[in-house]
Amino acid sequence: MKRSAPTLGKDLTGLESLSPEQIRVILDTAEPFKEVSERQIKKVPVLRGKTIVNLFFEASTRTRISFEFAEKRLAADTVNIGAVGSSVSKGETLVDTARNLEAMRIDMVVIRHWSAGAAHFLASRIPSNVINAGDGAHEHPTQGLLDMLTLRDHFGRIEGLKVCIVGDVLHSRVARSNIYGLVALGAKVAVCAPRTLLPAGIEELGVRVFGRVEQAIEWSDALNVLRLQLERMQDGFVPSLREYNRVFGITRERLEWAPREMLILHPGPMNRGVEIDSDVADGPHSVILRQVTNGVAVRMAVLYLLTGDAPDLAEMARSGGAGRA
Amino acid sequence: MTAADSTVLMDDVAVRRAVGRMAHEILEKLGGTEHLVLMGIQRRGVDLADMIRDAITDAEGADVQTGTLDITLYRDDLMALGPRPVVGRTLLPRGGVDGVAVVLVDDVLYTGRTARAALNELMDWGRPARILLCVLVDRGDRELPIQPDIVGREFPVLTDRRVDVLVPRLDGELAVVLSQLERR
């Protein structure tokens, strides 16, 4: 009578390779983990004795802390490594860094890297579980999952929902993970941005494209508003921030035209007054802080499910570290 | 539902009689329903807790708080299981468990490891004034020093047998059945 959840495999590198069934299992497993964070003692002994390394080659506040809370609430031991102040800044390669960590007998690596494919590269070379916390403009699977959990909380379903991703899709790993996951679960997905901020051939992912934000608001049940990546805007993608806000900004005036109640998501950090106005971000339809809360639960679910495929370290030590390339 | 090679140890009527008696024993031990919380252990303990609550309400006319406890995350064999087991819901009663008398309700008491996990989980939730263990079937063969306070029926059976409690919500009938343990 023991019921087992379908396994995810050793790693979570993206949502593109997951089946709808696997995505549903993660979202369902996140539900019981939500309540762990509501307890007086916010800790369950699931990953007791496991060591997790958070390897962040790029700046991150929300994602890194969210992962760290998730790990600590599952009673794992965690170590944070940033690119600055570690041997990474002395020119050590990614694989060498990871192998050295493995030599200290770790169980999991959470990696954020500026280069697309970094998580997959690492996952194929070390026996520890690897979780992608964002790789270049490729994927950010746990962000996609927490966005989907937040949508499902509100609407009770994903299938048939109309979700439009507004903003800098070109540079966004969040957009890709959302598109893969939402399409897999049967949502209708659209993107809306200036043409300069849309990758060529985006339609091939099964999304429709709106050139005007008014059309997107007319069509959607929910808007996922992306951050305009100001650090990349020197290259002439948009004429000016003020003009971007005037044409693509999500403002209260624009939302008043929505034919139905509109849910507003934003992965953060927000540029208030650029892609989103303050009275929308703090308004009644914003679930931006719910996303942050759900992020911890989704990450706990992923950590829990991945350990089901973890290699037995003691076993490996006895067989002389087999599995190493 | 009941397989051909299984024996019915308790039928619907026998289970209901046992539950009625267990409800009265709980009232007797605790001297009433004040500060009483019934916590059903997922999954079939939840159904039994509901039945006990109804029996208490019938007898005393008082509402009794219930909750559910999923002990998956507290299992001592969690990391040895292979694929992750499905985690069910833990629902605390309003007001939590601090200072109340918690009656843990489960279907079958065997090794005692589930009860151990439930105790640890409850302690992480708060400080109950008292905890009682209430099971429909005690099949013996404990691996930990844990004993029940309220028992429906004792069936000492061999370890190559399994004892299952069937409940209407999940199995379509109410019964206790004995069968041969499948070799895996």
Side-chain angles (χ1 to χ4, degrees), chain A residues 9-27:
Chain A
K10 180 173 87 69
D11 312 295
L12 179 67
T13 55
L15 297 189
E16 188 181 7
S17 57
L18 292 192
S19 68
E21 163 87 311
Q22 288 172 313
I23 294 173
R24 261 184 226 111
V25 165
I26 300 173
L27 299 183

PDB file of all heavy atoms in Angstrom, chain A residues 9-27:
ATOM      1  N   GLY A   9      14.573  11.791 -11.704  1.00  0.00           N
ATOM      2  CA  GLY A   9      15.927  11.595 -12.197  1.00  0.00           C
ATOM      3  C   GLY A   9      16.906  12.200 -11.219  1.00  0.00           C
ATOM      4  O   GLY A   9      16.529  12.639 -10.132  1.00  0.00           O
ATOM      5  N   LYS A  10      18.179  12.234 -11.592  1.00  0.00           N
ATOM      6  CA  LYS A  10      19.208  12.702 -10.665  1.00  0.00           C
ATOM      7  C   LYS A  10      19.186  14.222 -10.490  1.00  0.00           C
ATOM      8  O   LYS A  10      19.492  14.732  -9.409  1.00  0.00           O
ATOM      9  CB  LYS A  10      20.593  12.245 -11.175  1.00  0.00           C
ATOM     10  CG  LYS A  10      21.764  12.665 -10.293  1.00  0.00           C
ATOM     11  CD  LYS A  10      23.072  12.041 -10.742  1.00  0.00           C
ATOM     12  CE  LYS A  10      23.810  12.824 -11.808  1.00  0.00           C
ATOM     13  NZ  LYS A  10      24.371  14.094 -11.353  1.00  0.00           N
ATOM     14  N   ASP A  11      18.838  14.930 -11.564  1.00  0.00           N
ATOM     15  CA  ASP A  11      19.030  16.381 -11.556  1.00  0.00           C
ATOM     16  C   ASP A  11      17.770  17.122 -12.005  1.00  0.00           C
ATOM     17  O   ASP A  11      16.897  16.548 -12.625  1.00  0.00           O
ATOM     18  CB  ASP A  11      20.163  16.752 -12.528  1.00  0.00           C
ATOM     19  CG  ASP A  11      21.379  15.882 -12.338  1.00  0.00           C
ATOM     20  OD1 ASP A  11      21.987  15.972 -11.261  1.00  0.00           O
ATOM     21  OD2 ASP A  11      21.686  15.097 -13.251  1.00  0.00           O
ATOM     22  N   LEU A  12      17.749  18.405 -11.692  1.00  0.00           N
ATOM     23  CA  LEU A  12      16.741  19.282 -12.298  1.00  0.00           C
ATOM     24  C   LEU A  12      17.491  20.391 -13.027  1.00  0.00           C
ATOM     25  O   LEU A  12      17.968  21.333 -12.406  1.00  0.00           O
ATOM     26  CB  LEU A  12      15.806  19.882 -11.242  1.00  0.00           C
ATOM     27  CG  LEU A  12      14.745  20.824 -11.829  1.00  0.00           C
ATOM     28  CD1 LEU A  12      13.737  20.065 -12.692  1.00  0.00           C
ATOM     29  CD2 LEU A  12      14.025  21.593 -10.742  1.00  0.00           C
ATOM     30  N   THR A  13      17.625  20.249 -14.341  1.00  0.00           N
ATOM     31  CA  THR A  13      18.356  21.262 -15.104  1.00  0.00           C
ATOM     32  C   THR A  13      17.420  22.176 -15.868  1.00  0.00           C
ATOM     33  O   THR A  13      17.788  23.275 -16.249  1.00  0.00           O
ATOM     34  CB  THR A  13      19.339  20.611 -16.087  1.00  0.00           C
ATOM     35  OG1 THR A  13      18.628  19.686 -16.923  1.00  0.00           O
ATOM     36  CG2 THR A  13      20.438  19.864 -15.347  1.00  0.00           C
ATOM     37  N   GLY A  14      16.189  21.723 -16.114  1.00  0.00           N
ATOM     38  CA  GLY A  14      15.235  22.575 -16.811  1.00  0.00           C
ATOM     39  C   GLY A  14      13.881  21.915 -16.864  1.00  0.00           C
ATOM     40  O   GLY A  14      13.740  20.735 -16.526  1.00  0.00           O
ATOM     41  N   LEU A  15      12.866  22.699 -17.264  1.00  0.00           N
ATOM     42  CA  LEU A  15      11.521  22.128 -17.375  1.00  0.00           C
ATOM     43  C   LEU A  15      11.278  21.555 -18.771  1.00  0.00           C
ATOM     44  O   LEU A  15      10.333  20.812 -18.980  1.00  0.00           O
ATOM     45  CB  LEU A  15      10.462  23.193 -17.066  1.00  0.00           C
ATOM     46  CG  LEU A  15      10.488  23.768 -15.651  1.00  0.00           C
ATOM     47  CD1 LEU A  15       9.265  24.645 -15.407  1.00  0.00           C
ATOM     48  CD2 LEU A  15      10.562  22.665 -14.605  1.00  0.00           C
ATOM     49  N   GLU A  16      12.139  21.894 -19.731  1.00  0.00           N
ATOM     50  CA  GLU A  16      11.938  21.437 -21.105  1.00  0.00           C
ATOM     51  C   GLU A  16      11.913  19.913 -21.175  1.00  0.00           C
ATOM     52  O   GLU A  16      11.139  19.320 -21.922  1.00  0.00           O
ATOM     53  CB  GLU A  16      13.056  21.978 -22.014  1.00  0.00           C
ATOM     54  CG  GLU A  16      12.804  21.690 -23.483  1.00  0.00           C
ATOM     55  CD  GLU A  16      13.931  22.210 -24.380  1.00  0.00           C
ATOM     56  OE1 GLU A  16      14.964  22.669 -23.842  1.00  0.00           O
ATOM     57  OE2 GLU A  16      13.764  22.142 -25.607  1.00  0.00           O
ATOM     58  N   SER A  17      12.761  19.266 -20.362  1.00  0.00           N
ATOM     59  CA  SER A  17      12.901  17.814 -20.453  1.00  0.00           C
ATOM     60  C   SER A  17      11.940  17.059 -19.533  1.00  0.00           C
ATOM     61  O   SER A  17      11.949  15.842 -19.504  1.00  0.00           O
ATOM     62  CB  SER A  17      14.344  17.440 -20.112  1.00  0.00           C
ATOM     63  OG  SER A  17      14.666  17.942 -18.831  1.00  0.00           O
ATOM     64  N   LEU A  18      11.112  17.779 -18.758  1.00  0.00           N
ATOM     65  CA  LEU A  18      10.214  17.082 -17.829  1.00  0.00           C
ATOM     66  C   LEU A  18       8.876  16.763 -18.498  1.00  0.00           C
ATOM     67  O   LEU A  18       8.392  17.508 -19.342  1.00  0.00           O
ATOM     68  CB  LEU A  18       9.943  17.938 -16.589  1.00  0.00           C
ATOM     69  CG  LEU A  18      11.097  18.190 -15.625  1.00  0.00           C
ATOM     70  CD1 LEU A  18      10.563  18.795 -14.337  1.00  0.00           C
ATOM     71  CD2 LEU A  18      11.869  16.925 -15.313  1.00  0.00           C
ATOM     72  N   SER A  19       8.277  15.657 -18.071  1.00  0.00           N
ATOM     73  CA  SER A  19       6.950  15.299 -18.564  1.00  0.00           C
ATOM     74  C   SER A  19       5.905  16.085 -17.758  1.00  0.00           C
ATOM     75  O   SER A  19       6.189  16.532 -16.637  1.00  0.00           O
ATOM     76  CB  SER A  19       6.722  13.806 -18.390  1.00  0.00           C
ATOM     77  OG  SER A  19       6.644  13.494 -17.016  1.00  0.00           O
ATOM     78  N   PRO A  20       4.705  16.255 -18.314  1.00  0.00           N
ATOM     79  CA  PRO A  20       3.631  16.907 -17.545  1.00  0.00           C
ATOM     80  C   PRO A  20       3.428  16.218 -16.198  1.00  0.00           C
ATOM     81  O   PRO A  20       3.222  16.878 -15.181  1.00  0.00           O
ATOM     82  CB  PRO A  20       2.398  16.728 -18.442  1.00  0.00           C
ATOM     83  CG  PRO A  20       2.932  16.584 -19.814  1.00  0.00           C
ATOM     84  CD  PRO A  20       4.265  15.895 -19.684  1.00  0.00           C
ATOM     85  N   GLU A  21       3.502  14.905 -16.185  1.00  0.00           N
ATOM     86  CA  GLU A  21       3.341  14.120 -14.958  1.00  0.00           C
ATOM     87  C   GLU A  21       4.388  14.514 -13.916  1.00  0.00           C
ATOM     88  O   GLU A  21       4.078  14.733 -12.734  1.00  0.00           O
ATOM     89  CB  GLU A  21       3.457  12.633 -15.328  1.00  0.00           C
ATOM     90  CG  GLU A  21       3.724  11.716 -14.180  1.00  0.00           C
ATOM     91  CD  GLU A  21       2.460  11.258 -13.485  1.00  0.00           C
ATOM     92  OE1 GLU A  21       1.601  12.106 -13.155  1.00  0.00           O
ATOM     93  OE2 GLU A  21       2.355  10.054 -13.259  1.00  0.00           O
ATOM     94  N   GLN A  22       5.648  14.631 -14.332  1.00  0.00           N
ATOM     95  CA  GLN A  22       6.714  14.999 -13.386  1.00  0.00           C
ATOM     96  C   GLN A  22       6.501  16.412 -12.844  1.00  0.00           C
ATOM     97  O   GLN A  22       6.742  16.672 -11.665  1.00  0.00           O
ATOM     98  CB  GLN A  22       8.078  14.904 -14.075  1.00  0.00           C
ATOM     99  CG  GLN A  22       8.521  13.457 -14.324  1.00  0.00           C
ATOM    100  CD  GLN A  22       9.783  13.388 -15.175  1.00  0.00           C
ATOM    101  OE1 GLN A  22       9.885  14.066 -16.198  1.00  0.00           O
ATOM    102  NE2 GLN A  22      10.744  12.579 -14.757  1.00  0.00           N
ATOM    103  N   ILE A  23       6.070  17.323 -13.703  1.00  0.00           N
ATOM    104  CA  ILE A  23       5.830  18.698 -13.248  1.00  0.00           C
ATOM    105  C   ILE A  23       4.699  18.716 -12.222  1.00  0.00           C
ATOM    106  O   ILE A  23       4.785  19.362 -11.179  1.00  0.00           O
ATOM    107  CB  ILE A  23       5.494  19.619 -14.441  1.00  0.00           C
ATOM    108  CG1 ILE A  23       6.712  19.744 -15.365  1.00  0.00           C
ATOM    109  CG2 ILE A  23       5.050  20.996 -13.955  1.00  0.00           C
ATOM    110  CD1 ILE A  23       6.439  20.489 -16.647  1.00  0.00           C
ATOM    111  N   ARG A  24       3.634  17.944 -12.499  1.00  0.00           N
ATOM    112  CA  ARG A  24       2.507  17.880 -11.564  1.00  0.00           C
ATOM    113  C   ARG A  24       2.939  17.328 -10.211  1.00  0.00           C
ATOM    114  O   ARG A  24       2.494  17.796  -9.166  1.00  0.00           O
ATOM    115  CB  ARG A  24       1.395  17.018 -12.150  1.00  0.00           C
ATOM    116  CG  ARG A  24       0.315  17.870 -12.785  1.00  0.00           C
ATOM    117  CD  ARG A  24      -0.842  17.039 -13.293  1.00  0.00           C
ATOM    118  NE  ARG A  24      -1.194  17.495 -14.619  1.00  0.00           N
ATOM    119  CZ  ARG A  24      -1.013  16.806 -15.732  1.00  0.00           C
ATOM    120  NH1 ARG A  24      -0.519  15.597 -15.677  1.00  0.00           N
ATOM    121  NH2 ARG A  24      -1.330  17.325 -16.895  1.00  0.00           N
ATOM    122  N   VAL A  25       3.820  16.312 -10.240  1.00  0.00           N
ATOM    123  CA  VAL A  25       4.287  15.725  -8.981  1.00  0.00           C
ATOM    124  C   VAL A  25       5.017  16.774  -8.135  1.00  0.00           C
ATOM    125  O   VAL A  25       4.826  16.854  -6.925  1.00  0.00           O
ATOM    126  CB  VAL A  25       5.202  14.516  -9.248  1.00  0.00           C
ATOM    127  CG1 VAL A  25       5.975  14.137  -7.994  1.00  0.00           C
ATOM    128  CG2 VAL A  25       4.380  13.333  -9.721  1.00  0.00           C
ATOM    129  N   ILE A  26       5.837  17.600  -8.775  1.00  0.00           N
ATOM    130  CA  ILE A  26       6.547  18.638  -8.017  1.00  0.00           C
ATOM    131  C   ILE A  26       5.541  19.616  -7.396  1.00  0.00           C
ATOM    132  O   ILE A  26       5.625  19.952  -6.214  1.00  0.00           O
ATOM    133  CB  ILE A  26       7.553  19.393  -8.907  1.00  0.00           C
ATOM    134  CG1 ILE A  26       8.598  18.429  -9.489  1.00  0.00           C
ATOM    135  CG2 ILE A  26       8.246  20.499  -8.110  1.00  0.00           C
ATOM    136  CD1 ILE A  26       9.519  19.075 -10.505  1.00  0.00           C
ATOM    137  N   LEU A  27       4.577  20.060  -8.199  1.00  0.00           N
ATOM    138  CA  LEU A  27       3.593  21.024  -7.680  1.00  0.00           C
ATOM    139  C   LEU A  27       2.773  20.398  -6.554  1.00  0.00           C
ATOM    140  O   LEU A  27       2.527  21.039  -5.527  1.00  0.00           O
ATOM    141  CB  LEU A  27       2.664  21.497  -8.809  1.00  0.00           C
ATOM    142  CG  LEU A  27       3.328  22.221  -9.987  1.00  0.00           C
ATOM    143  CD1 LEU A  27       2.274  22.690 -10.994  1.00  0.00           C
ATOM    144  CD2 LEU A  27       4.151  23.417  -9.521  1.00  0.00           C
TER     145      LEU A  27
END
